[in-house]
Amino acid sequence: MSVVRVGRVLTAPDVPEHLVTVDAHAWPGLLAIPTGPAAGLKARVAEAKFAGACAAAGIELDPGRGAELRVEYDMLFRRIAESGWVGLAEGFMAGEWFATSSEVLVDVLTKLLQSNYRPKTPTISPKHLDGGGEIPAELVQHFAGDGMSGFAGHFATGVPTTQRVRVKSQQSRSAPAYFVDVTEYSEPIDASRDDLGDVQQRSVQMLLDACATSRGTHLLEFPSSGGAVSLAAAGRGAVVDAWAADEHAADALRDRVVYAGVGGAVHVELMGPEWTRATNRRSFYDAVVSVERLETLTPASKAQYLSAVGHLVDPGGRVAVQTAMRTAAFTPAADAALQSLRAYIWPGLSFSTPDELTRIVDRRTPLRIVAQTRAPAHLAASLRLQREMFDSRLREAAADGFDQVYRRLWQWQFALREALARLEMLDVVQVTLVPRDRRGRR
């Protein structure tokens, strides 16, 4: 695993006992710990601030009173003093602190974010933001309802309400306003882990409906999200091109396509570096689908990606995108907490607001947004079910070669994203786009 570092300069001369089994090549940050008198002083300050934040947030630390959070090694506070939320995550990954359960971990992170806990956290250097973030198929199967999908679902019990909203074009001052159908989904009820496959499939069907996928549709999934979209589109009689992000993902998808008996309808290819394949393409698609890729990109890369999509779709075609977006409730503390995910999983992670996405689409692409769905409670529920499924399969993940640090990292990212969704700082959104010029290509 490639790990982006965030300013570590001091390495402990002796590896502490609890870190002896940590793979130094895979997890250099866990073994690079600040030392010396200054680091010790900073750690004591960080410890006092952390204790104060927990007290303010109502997080119990006293074992005699049923502690929600227990600190096993004070090395944790050197990490927090050095890199804030990234250090807090590393301490969890290293086993230096823990919550009594993954559910309690979500509660703890929710309370810390709610109380605006914000230790000084370095920002990931821009030079590290490109690439990375591909989740191994062998890991996804341990938290996916269908064994292959790592994205959020939509629950049948959520009631949709749609209104048409007038949007001022960001293309230019003189450009006319246009209308977007905005659908809000109410909170789901009675969600259980057995529902996860169905709710993920509902997300897929919503995307295919949004781009009018039917028999004969030439559809591109850009990039592949594991196979559910491609298989469902083939089931509708569509001809599918699925562009995989890397060779490993391509091989996994080819196996699923063959196993499902739709090898003649789904063509798997490598996506290639950046978006060069899209800009060099000579044929166009009736439909393009993207599932939870957009949020893993920097704002500049989002514009490049959506522009590429706009040049792939036929003038009469449609684009359907599912992505997580930030809401007005999103705080600087939340962004600081997300540095831990940028450091270890998604280097370019950035959540746009609906207005920011509109600005990117209007100014940087040949597309226009015509419909949008919002379902923050469905994101929180989906992440809860994924977290619970992953917890139930920790032994299987270990058997597949994912070490304890990796498994703790994955528990951390589920808990953090679920906490943000619980606080409605993040929302799962589906966006439908069409070419602005529906008559033909310019």
mmCIF file of all heavy atoms in Angstrom, residues 139 189 192 206 267 305 330 340 404-405 411 413 423:
data_model
loop_
_atom_site.group_PDB
_atom_site.id
_atom_site.type_symbol
_atom_site.label_atom_id
_atom_site.label_comp_id
_atom_site.label_asym_id
_atom_site.label_seq_id
_atom_site.Cartn_x
_atom_site.Cartn_y
_atom_site.Cartn_z
ATOM 1 N N LEU A 139 -10.926 -6.714 -0.868
ATOM 2 C CA LEU A 139 -11.374 -6.011 0.333
ATOM 3 C C LEU A 139 -12.851 -5.649 0.220
ATOM 4 O O LEU A 139 -13.614 -5.820 1.181
ATOM 5 C CB LEU A 139 -10.545 -4.745 0.546
ATOM 6 C CG LEU A 139 -10.896 -3.923 1.791
ATOM 7 C CD1 LEU A 139 -10.565 -4.697 3.058
ATOM 8 C CD2 LEU A 139 -10.181 -2.585 1.789
ATOM 9 N N ILE A 189 -36.285 3.557 7.050
ATOM 10 C CA ILE A 189 -36.633 2.916 8.319
ATOM 11 C C ILE A 189 -36.305 1.423 8.239
ATOM 12 O O ILE A 189 -36.259 0.833 7.162
ATOM 13 C CB ILE A 189 -38.128 3.109 8.656
ATOM 14 C CG1 ILE A 189 -39.022 2.588 7.524
ATOM 15 C CG2 ILE A 189 -38.431 4.569 8.925
ATOM 16 C CD1 ILE A 189 -40.508 2.627 7.850
ATOM 17 N N SER A 192 -31.541 -3.165 7.791
ATOM 18 C CA SER A 192 -30.718 -4.218 8.383
ATOM 19 C C SER A 192 -29.634 -4.628 7.399
ATOM 20 O O SER A 192 -29.702 -4.317 6.215
ATOM 21 C CB SER A 192 -31.577 -5.431 8.751
ATOM 22 O OG SER A 192 -32.064 -6.063 7.579
ATOM 23 N N MET A 206 -31.481 3.209 -10.271
ATOM 24 C CA MET A 206 -31.779 4.642 -10.381
ATOM 25 C C MET A 206 -30.867 5.313 -11.407
ATOM 26 O O MET A 206 -31.308 6.140 -12.217
ATOM 27 C CB MET A 206 -31.631 5.320 -9.020
ATOM 28 C CG MET A 206 -32.726 4.994 -8.021
ATOM 29 S SD MET A 206 -32.332 5.563 -6.323
ATOM 30 C CE MET A 206 -32.141 7.341 -6.586
ATOM 31 N N HIS A 267 -17.736 -5.244 -22.376
ATOM 32 C CA HIS A 267 -16.357 -5.218 -22.847
ATOM 33 C C HIS A 267 -15.523 -4.442 -21.835
ATOM 34 O O HIS A 267 -15.779 -3.263 -21.576
ATOM 35 C CB HIS A 267 -16.284 -4.558 -24.231
ATOM 36 C CG HIS A 267 -17.276 -5.119 -25.200
ATOM 37 N ND1 HIS A 267 -17.087 -6.320 -25.842
ATOM 38 C CD2 HIS A 267 -18.504 -4.665 -25.595
ATOM 39 C CE1 HIS A 267 -18.133 -6.579 -26.618
ATOM 40 N NE2 HIS A 267 -19.012 -5.582 -26.486
ATOM 41 N N TYR A 305 -12.257 15.513 -15.450
ATOM 42 C CA TYR A 305 -13.021 14.274 -15.561
ATOM 43 C C TYR A 305 -14.396 14.515 -16.195
ATOM 44 O O TYR A 305 -14.794 13.826 -17.141
ATOM 45 C CB TYR A 305 -13.166 13.660 -14.175
ATOM 46 C CG TYR A 305 -14.060 12.451 -14.102
ATOM 47 C CD1 TYR A 305 -13.633 11.216 -14.559
ATOM 48 C CD2 TYR A 305 -15.337 12.547 -13.557
ATOM 49 C CE1 TYR A 305 -14.455 10.110 -14.486
ATOM 50 C CE2 TYR A 305 -16.166 11.449 -13.471
ATOM 51 C CZ TYR A 305 -15.713 10.216 -13.931
ATOM 52 O OH TYR A 305 -16.543 9.125 -13.858
ATOM 53 N N PHE A 330 -21.139 21.251 6.868
ATOM 54 C CA PHE A 330 -19.735 20.825 6.866
ATOM 55 C C PHE A 330 -18.857 21.892 7.509
ATOM 56 O O PHE A 330 -19.030 23.084 7.263
ATOM 57 C CB PHE A 330 -19.295 20.585 5.423
ATOM 58 C CG PHE A 330 -17.972 19.880 5.258
ATOM 59 C CD1 PHE A 330 -17.912 18.500 5.282
ATOM 60 C CD2 PHE A 330 -16.809 20.601 5.049
ATOM 61 C CE1 PHE A 330 -16.712 17.842 5.115
ATOM 62 C CE2 PHE A 330 -15.600 19.957 4.876
ATOM 63 C CZ PHE A 330 -15.544 18.571 4.908
ATOM 64 N N SER A 340 -6.997 12.476 7.367
ATOM 65 C CA SER A 340 -6.567 11.104 7.651
ATOM 66 C C SER A 340 -6.890 10.172 6.489
ATOM 67 O O SER A 340 -6.134 9.228 6.211
ATOM 68 C CB SER A 340 -7.226 10.604 8.937
ATOM 69 O OG SER A 340 -8.636 10.556 8.825
ATOM 70 N N GLN A 404 -3.547 -6.312 10.367
ATOM 71 C CA GLN A 404 -4.368 -5.673 11.405
ATOM 72 C C GLN A 404 -4.437 -4.164 11.239
ATOM 73 O O GLN A 404 -5.485 -3.547 11.464
ATOM 74 C CB GLN A 404 -3.828 -6.023 12.783
ATOM 75 C CG GLN A 404 -4.744 -5.587 13.925
ATOM 76 C CD GLN A 404 -4.270 -6.083 15.269
ATOM 77 O OE1 GLN A 404 -3.109 -5.907 15.621
ATOM 78 N NE2 GLN A 404 -5.138 -6.727 16.030
ATOM 79 N N VAL A 405 -3.328 -3.557 10.825
ATOM 80 C CA VAL A 405 -3.327 -2.103 10.626
ATOM 81 C C VAL A 405 -4.302 -1.729 9.521
ATOM 82 O O VAL A 405 -5.076 -0.768 9.653
ATOM 83 C CB VAL A 405 -1.909 -1.599 10.288
ATOM 84 C CG1 VAL A 405 -1.931 -0.111 9.960
ATOM 85 C CG2 VAL A 405 -0.951 -1.868 11.444
ATOM 86 N N GLN A 411 -11.845 0.203 9.426
ATOM 87 C CA GLN A 411 -12.841 0.501 10.460
ATOM 88 C C GLN A 411 -12.885 2.007 10.727
ATOM 89 O O GLN A 411 -13.973 2.579 10.918
ATOM 90 C CB GLN A 411 -12.493 -0.257 11.747
ATOM 91 C CG GLN A 411 -12.704 -1.754 11.659
ATOM 92 C CD GLN A 411 -12.305 -2.452 12.947
ATOM 93 O OE1 GLN A 411 -11.185 -2.289 13.443
ATOM 94 N NE2 GLN A 411 -13.212 -3.240 13.506
ATOM 95 N N GLN A 413 -12.126 4.526 8.619
ATOM 96 C CA GLN A 413 -12.725 5.308 7.538
ATOM 97 C C GLN A 413 -14.234 5.135 7.514
ATOM 98 O O GLN A 413 -14.959 6.088 7.255
ATOM 99 C CB GLN A 413 -12.076 4.976 6.191
ATOM 100 C CG GLN A 413 -12.349 3.603 5.604
ATOM 101 C CD GLN A 413 -13.666 3.506 4.858
ATOM 102 O OE1 GLN A 413 -14.181 4.523 4.377
ATOM 103 N NE2 GLN A 413 -14.210 2.299 4.754
ATOM 104 N N LEU A 423 -24.123 13.566 11.004
ATOM 105 C CA LEU A 423 -24.234 15.004 11.267
ATOM 106 C C LEU A 423 -24.738 15.770 10.045
ATOM 107 O O LEU A 423 -24.793 16.998 10.070
ATOM 108 C CB LEU A 423 -22.865 15.537 11.700
ATOM 109 C CG LEU A 423 -22.342 14.985 13.033
ATOM 110 C CD1 LEU A 423 -20.880 15.379 13.238
ATOM 111 C CD2 LEU A 423 -23.200 15.494 14.186
#
